[in-house]
Amino acid sequence: MAMPKGPQAFPRSEYLRRLSVVKAEMERREIGVLIVTVSPNITYLTGYTARSGYVPQGLIVSLKNEEPTFVVRRCDAPSAIYEMFIDRNRIIGYPETLIGNPEMDGFDAVIDFLHDNGLASGGVGLETKFLAQQSVEKFKIRMPQATIRDFSGCITWTRLIKSDLEIVVMKEAAAIADAGILRAKEVIRPGVREADAAAEIIATLVRGVNGKPGTDVSDFHLCASPLSATPHTRWSEDVLHQGSQVNFEFGAVRYGYVSALSRTFMIGKPSERLRRVHEGEVAGMEAALAAVRPGVTCGDIATAFNTTIKKHGFEKETRCGYSIGIDWLEPTASIKEGDPTVLQPNMTFHLLLNNWIDEDFGYALSETFRVTETGAEVFTTLPREIFVM
Amino acid sequence: MAMPKGPQAFPRSEYLRRLSVVKAEMERREIGVLIVTVSPNITYLTGYTARSGYVPQGLIVSLKNEEPTFVVRRCDAPSAIYEMFIDRNRIIGYPETLIGNPEMDGFDAVIDFLHDNGLASGGVGLETKFLAQQSVEKFKIRMPQATIRDFSGCITWTRLIKSDLEIVVMKEAAAIADAGILRAKEVIRPGVREADAAAEIIATLVRGVNGKPGTDVSDFHLCASPLSATPHTRWSEDVLHQGSQVNFEFGAVRYGYVSALSRTFMIGKPSERLRRVHEGEVAGMEAALAAVRPGVTCGDIATAFNTTIKKHGFEKETRCGYSIGIDWLEPTASIKEGDPTVLQPNMTFHLLLNNWIDEDFGYALSETFRVTETGAEVFTTLPREIFVM
């Protein structure tokens, strides 16, 4: 039987709107055909979230056609039919002979499609920055009539300003992240294994809230003493104990969109040092959010934070956040001093104030927010406190 | 305070053994210094599993030194001190100015280290295949005295044959994966949301078994009707019902090492078609495992499977598996017809017989095994059955 279309995260008009922005940029750059290979960009333009991007695949956007065409490993075509808004005839499955084959891969199927459809000449856009050198070479060698133009980053920058529909989805994800911290309040106890606490919280992030499940597992970090200053470890095999500090940074997901959140937990009385850092960081968070409005730059937000915590006697070396959306971090605007990105309504950021102060001492506080017409709207409803157990 | 060394997954002697194999290959290729950038290869040579590899980092192996040096983003240095077997002085944190900076990145810190230590000349190995073109260019331009030699795949192929210590870890992971399927037997019921079932099973994979927790969340797929033929979707927002078929493919993790497992569940009576596929696939699994012994090729295993299911009236387009270890799939040996890789003891494979037959009909059966002196040792203890609920 034929695969039905699944429930779509967004209406067709939303995807066509996104495509129209990309196509306008293609025209401006004299690119008739664009080959999109970066997975979150494929999600953005079509709704596809299946994890097939570890082998080559390409979404082909042509100025000649309203809908793009997706060339994907054949066994993944049913997921594409189910998830993507495009007509099933625009999903081309390539054969398994291109997998684990040292001579050819899925990009050969993409190139074949372009040749077969008279699209392998003129200006052809490619996200070269994120492709292996040999893949870029393959496109150049096999399409000698085409002028390959780098389109790296262009769609990613388009993703920077969200539609109201995207904001709804990110808020759904944020409500799930909140539930994760609330679950942590129930399970972070002396004598509990870190893994058992992680299991409960991750399960909450999958179950979701308000009848809306998480649709994927995102990055998850439970960093307990002595690892409170390690941003990228998962959890250890230790047991929590009186005096353990536990820093969380995790995300919740709806349709590929992530809302991220960080909070600090303490089993037992927080030290004077931790209290002082906390006070400085909360003041810094408030100052940063107060600085947000259309027209100021990402750098201005960072300056507001850094100036404030300096008054409290601290510094933070790492940047204060970044644009967030599909698959967490969008590699575009950074909330760091000097970043010239000018804020506009519906940009969304992970204001990541986590501060890895010493090798064995760090502090976690982060929130996901959107820029409004007049300021910032924070997605979490949680208090900014050290959760003392 | 200084970060202590955490519990190590393997003794120092194990890491030095692995390094000695890599160094021998470096000598053979006249490479004095090797820059390892592929994350699972860094895990293999040092024990480091923190998820910092989304920004540039490099493990520098020199023939002059017993231990390698790790150049990593400064905020990730504490995790490296905690997890890696090497001396803390061999962990070099680079400053945050190299993050989100269009002019320079962490590879500049790697190159600076090589220059500062007289290592930027002569044969320098680089895993070019997995680097962006502009990064490869940077190494070439900034080290004009060096001859950059491609080392892509070399360490990955070294990982193909596991030590007995690695096998122990993979069996620990396999026991956790088994527990995941046993949990599925408890929670797959009509009226249960797919996300709620997924939450319970994922939590089991994190908690682990036998006092040994999972150390990470791995890939997880709960593919229920009509998505039983989509290998790479997570789960849907649907509710399971009488007549739902549920295909699982997931992995459990210990210290970065994954054991993977797939099984098919059916709520209600399996159709005649599903029963016939199951019979053919189980016979194919048995034939494939019976073919395993040192000296035969990966291709021979695939032939044994394919010949058997053909007798049962079926075919499978996708390959029958691949080498498995750190971070799941090792991009080396494929279990597919014609693959010339000759089996040797302690190679480990994910024998992935999942068969996506029609758009809306697939079947899941896979196991992780090792090659022994005389045959195959399967890591799962589960029966090969359709789990009927």
Side-chain angles (χ1 to χ4, degrees):
Chain A
M1 261 176 44
M3 173 69 79
K5 280 270 167 228
Q8 302 290 301
F10 300 102
R12 175 183 180 82
S13 56
E14 169 75 2
Y15 292 114
L16 293 179
R17 182 192 64 74
R18 298 176 187 179
L19 280 161
S20 71
V21 177
V22 171
K23 285 176 177 173
E25 184 62 20
M26 287 167 64
E27 282 198 272
R28 204 184 67 75
R29 299 188 186 197
E30 297 181 357
I31 287 170
V33 179
L34 170 66
I35 304 158
V36 184
T37 53
V38 172
S39 288
N41 290 344
I42 294 173
T43 302
Y44 181 69
L45 295 177
T46 65
Y48 184 70
T49 62
R51 294 286 164 182
S52 58
Y54 66 97
V55 294
Q57 58 189 21
L59 184 77
I60 297 157
V61 180
S62 164
L63 292 182
K64 292 181 188 160
N65 298 306
E66 184 177 52
E67 294 187 359
T69 299
F70 191 38
V71 178
V72 61
R73 186 178 179 186
R74 190 180 291 157
C75 67
D76 291 306
S79 353
I81 295 170
Y82 186 83
E83 292 191 336
M84 287 179 154
F85 84 97
I86 60 178
D87 188 89
R88 55 173 296 134
N89 293 320
R90 293 204 166 274
I91 292 158
I92 315 287
Y94 67 74
E96 198 65 16
T97 46
L98 300 183
I99 301 295
N101 177 337
E103 309 296 324
M104 296 203 298
D105 64 22
F107 290 135
D108 287 283
V110 171
I111 294 165
D112 289 344
F113 174 85
L114 295 176
H115 277 295
D116 293 348
N117 291 274
L119 300 170
S121 60
V124 172
L126 193 63
E127 299 176 301
T128 59
K129 190 174 163 190
F130 308 101
L131 283 176
Q133 184 171 12
Q134 61 177 17
S135 297
V136 177
E137 290 304 313
K138 183 197 295 267
F139 280 103
K140 287 182 178 162
I141 291 166
R142 286 208 50 207
M143 299 200 294
Q145 307 299 317
T147 310
I148 304 285
R149 297 220 164 94
D150 184 18
F151 211 73
S152 305
C154 181
I155 301 174
T156 316
W157 277 101
T158 301
R159 287 159 45 202
L160 187 63
I161 300 175
K162 273 68 179 175
S163 68
D164 291 345
L165 294 171
E166 290 175 287
I167 297 292
V168 168
V169 167
M170 290 185 70
K171 285 184 179 175
E172 290 171 359
I176 299 172
D178 280 7
I181 291 292
L182 295 176
R183 186 70 182 130
K185 282 180 70 175
E186 296 171 340
V187 299
I188 295 296
R189 294 285 181 275
V192 170
R193 293 191 318 163
E194 293 180 22
D196 291 334
E200 292 301 321
I201 300 160
I202 292 169
T204 299
L205 299 174
V206 173
R207 277 186 212 107
V209 289
N210 308 323
K212 297 182 193 304
T215 58
D216 204 340
V217 179
S218 188
D219 239 7
F220 179 91
H221 305 284
L222 182 166
C223 300
S225 311
L227 296 172
S228 69
T230 65
H232 296 116
T233 53
R234 295 291 189 215
W235 55 85
S236 88
E237 296 187 83
D238 287 348
V239 173
L240 297 172
H241 55 80
Q242 200 63 30
S244 289
Q245 183 186 329
V246 187
N247 292 358
F248 286 102
E249 181 186 352
F250 54 69
V253 191
R254 291 278 297 165
Y255 309 121
Y257 287 79
V258 177
S259 282
L261 186 60
S262 304
R263 283 294 185 273
T264 298
F265 282 62
M266 185 70 214
I267 302 179
K269 197 177 169 215
S271 67
E272 184 57 26
R273 184 186 192 197
L274 179 57
R275 284 211 169 278
R276 285 197 301 115
V277 171
H278 171 70
E279 277 166 30
E281 288 264 341
V282 169
M285 172 69 84
E286 288 166 0
L289 289 170
V292 173
R293 61 182 174 279
V296 308
T297 67
C298 280
D300 295 334
I301 309 176
T303 301
F305 172 78
N306 289 332
T307 308
T308 305
I309 64 159
K310 212 163 273 176
K311 285 183 200 155
H312 285 76
F314 297 101
E315 290 191 353
K316 171 175 155 71
E317 190 197 10
T318 47
R319 61 177 167 171
C320 299
Y322 39 75
S323 182
I324 191 169
I326 297 168
D327 274 6
W328 200 299
L329 190 155
E330 292 176 345
T332 50
S334 268
I335 302 181
K336 67 171 185 180
E337 294 202 21
D339 186 290
T341 311
V342 176
L343 300 190
Q344 297 180 57
N346 274 5
M347 288 184 178
T348 51
F349 293 95
H350 184 206
L351 186 56
L352 178 74
L353 304 183
N354 296 5
N355 202 341
W356 303 286
I357 294 169
D358 270 350
E359 269 180 31
D360 65 344
F361 176 62
Y363 171 87
L365 178 69
S366 81
E367 303 195 344
T368 296
F369 75 88
R370 80 173 177 103
V371 181
T372 69
E373 297 292 335
T374 55
E377 180 187 12
V378 171
F379 291 170
T380 184
T381 60
L382 295 177
R384 292 179 194 131
E385 62 185 50
I386 300 171
F387 291 93
V388 179
M389 302 292 111
Chain B
M1 262 178 40
M3 174 67 79
K5 278 271 166 228
Q8 302 290 299
F10 300 103
R12 176 182 178 83
S13 56
E14 170 74 1
Y15 292 114
L16 293 179
R17 181 192 64 73
R18 298 176 188 179
L19 280 161
S20 71
V21 176
V22 171
K23 287 176 176 172
E25 183 63 19
M26 288 167 62
E27 282 199 271
R28 204 184 65 75
R29 298 186 187 198
E30 296 181 358
I31 289 170
V33 179
L34 170 66
I35 304 157
V36 184
T37 52
V38 172
S39 289
N41 290 343
I42 294 173
T43 302
Y44 181 70
L45 295 177
T46 65
Y48 184 69
T49 62
R51 295 286 165 182
S52 57
Y54 67 97
V55 293
Q57 55 190 23
L59 184 78
I60 298 157
V61 180
S62 164
L63 291 181
K64 292 179 187 161
N65 298 306
E66 184 178 51
E67 294 186 0
T69 299
F70 190 39
V71 178
V72 62
R73 188 179 179 185
R74 191 182 290 158
C75 68
D76 292 306
S79 352
I81 295 170
Y82 186 84
E83 292 192 336
M84 288 180 152
F85 84 97
I86 61 178
D87 188 89
R88 56 173 294 134
N89 294 320
R90 293 203 165 274
I91 293 157
I92 315 288
Y94 67 73
E96 198 65 13
T97 46
L98 301 183
I99 300 296
N101 178 336
E103 309 297 324
M104 297 202 300
D105 64 21
F107 290 135
D108 287 285
V110 170
I111 294 165
D112 289 344
F113 174 86
L114 295 176
H115 277 296
D116 293 348
N117 290 275
L119 299 170
S121 60
V124 172
L126 193 63
E127 297 175 302
T128 59
K129 190 175 161 188
F130 308 101
L131 284 176
Q133 184 172 13
Q134 62 177 15
S135 297
V136 176
E137 289 304 312
K138 182 198 295 267
F139 280 103
K140 286 182 179 164
I141 290 165
R142 287 208 49 208
M143 299 200 293
Q145 308 298 317
T147 310
I148 304 285
R149 298 221 164 93
D150 184 19
F151 212 72
S152 306
C154 181
I155 300 174
T156 316
W157 277 100
T158 301
R159 287 158 47 201
L160 188 63
I161 300 175
K162 273 68 178 176
S163 68
D164 290 344
L165 294 171
E166 290 175 285
I167 297 293
V168 167
V169 167
M170 289 185 70
K171 285 183 178 175
E172 290 172 358
I176 298 172
D178 280 7
I181 291 292
L182 294 175
R183 186 71 182 128
K185 282 180 70 176
E186 295 170 342
V187 299
I188 294 297
R189 294 285 182 276
V192 171
R193 292 191 318 162
E194 293 180 22
D196 291 335
E200 292 301 321
I201 300 161
I202 292 169
T204 300
L205 299 174
V206 172
R207 279 187 209 106
V209 291
N210 307 322
K212 296 183 194 304
T215 59
D216 203 340
V217 180
S218 188
D219 238 7
F220 179 91
H221 306 284
L222 182 165
C223 301
S225 310
L227 296 171
S228 69
T230 65
H232 297 116
T233 52
R234 294 291 189 216
W235 56 83
S236 88
E237 296 187 83
D238 288 348
V239 174
L240 298 172
H241 54 79
Q242 200 64 30
S244 289
Q245 182 185 329
V246 188
N247 292 358
F248 286 102
E249 181 184 353
F250 54 69
V253 191
R254 291 279 297 165
Y255 309 121
Y257 288 80
V258 177
S259 281
L261 185 61
S262 305
R263 285 291 186 276
T264 298
F265 283 62
M266 187 68 215
I267 302 180
K269 197 176 169 214
S271 67
E272 182 58 27
R273 185 187 191 195
L274 178 57
R275 286 213 166 279
R276 285 197 300 117
V277 171
H278 172 69
E279 277 167 27
E281 288 264 340
V282 169
M285 172 69 85
E286 288 166 359
L289 290 169
V292 173
R293 60 182 175 278
V296 308
T297 67
C298 280
D300 295 334
I301 308 177
T303 302
F305 172 78
N306 288 332
T307 309
T308 305
I309 63 157
K310 210 162 275 176
K311 285 183 198 156
H312 284 76
F314 297 101
E315 289 192 352
K316 171 176 154 70
E317 190 197 10
T318 49
R319 61 179 168 171
C320 299
Y322 40 75
S323 183
I324 190 170
I326 297 168
D327 274 4
W328 200 299
L329 189 156
E330 292 176 345
T332 50
S334 268
I335 303 182
K336 68 172 185 179
E337 294 202 22
D339 187 289
T341 313
V342 176
L343 300 189
Q344 296 180 55
N346 274 6
M347 288 183 179
T348 50
F349 293 95
H350 184 207
L351 186 56
L352 177 74
L353 304 183
N354 296 6
N355 202 341
W356 303 287
I357 294 170
D358 271 349
E359 270 181 31
D360 65 344
F361 176 62
Y363 171 88
L365 177 69
S366 82
E367 303 196 343
T368 297
F369 75 87
R370 80 173 177 103
V371 181
T372 68
E373 297 292 336
T374 55
E377 180 186 13
V378 171
F379 290 171
T380 184
T381 60
L382 295 176
R384 289 177 197 132
E385 62 185 50
I386 300 171
F387 292 92
V388 179
M389 301 292 110

